[in-house]
Amino acid sequence: QVQLVESGGGLVQAGGSLKLACAASGTISSVDAWTWFRQAPGKERELVANIKKDNSVYYAESVKGRFTISRDMAKNTLFLEMNRLKPEDTAKYYCAVGMLATTLDDYRGPGTQVTVSP
């Protein structure tokens, strides 16, 4: 079992920055993939960024060059640094972990809202 809690969301103007954090507890050593998802009202969930056990990283095209995913395993915390934010980045952001090589969201946090004003 893994428990996840996100923080760091808020309201920011376009062009601004936010840094999200996801505190994890439980069987962290078994996690294969750490992922940030987001979902805006009326839209499908989108995979934003992902970092795997082998340190390989993936970014959605829409955030490449603006967002950076990282983790501090000593603190069991996943981060998402978001720069040059755009109104279209407005969504609820969730962190999730996958316990197998084929899964990304066996466990998910409650999410944190990010709102970017024009």
Side-chain angles (χ1 to χ4, degrees):
Q1 290 269 351
V2 176
Q3 295 77 43
L4 304 166
V5 179
E6 303 90 344
S7 62
L11 173 64
V12 65
Q13 284 190 325
S17 299
L18 283 173
K19 187 171 184 176
L20 306 183
C22 172
S25 59
T27 51
I28 308 301
S29 60
S30 300
V31 171
D32 183 84
W34 300 77
T35 302
W36 285 100
F37 291 97
R38 67 185 180 186
Q39 189 163 21
K43 294 190 176 179
E44 290 191 0
R45 186 180 72 166
E46 179 185 12
L47 193 163
V48 176
N50 167 274
I51 183 166
K52 292 206 156 189
K53 203 172 188 177
D54 61 2
N55 290 321
S56 60
V57 175
Y58 166 86
Y59 292 99
E61 281 298 323
S62 57
V63 306
K64 258 184 197 175
R66 301 188 297 122
F67 290 13
T68 303
I69 189 171
S70 62
R71 58 187 175 179
D72 182 340
M73 296 315 298
K75 296 182 180 178
N76 292 335
T77 304
L78 179 72
F79 297 100
L80 185 69
E81 185 163 4
M82 307 186 293
N83 297 312
R84 304 198 310 276
L85 282 160
K86 304 176 181 179
E88 51 264 44
D89 294 318
T90 295
K92 196 162 191 181
Y93 284 70
Y94 304 87
C95 70
V97 297
M99 309 305 283
L100 304 174
T102 54
T103 60
L104 294 179
D105 58 355
D106 294 310
Y107 300 97
R108 191 182 87 164
T112 186
Q113 178 68 34
V114 171
T115 303
V116 184
S117 62

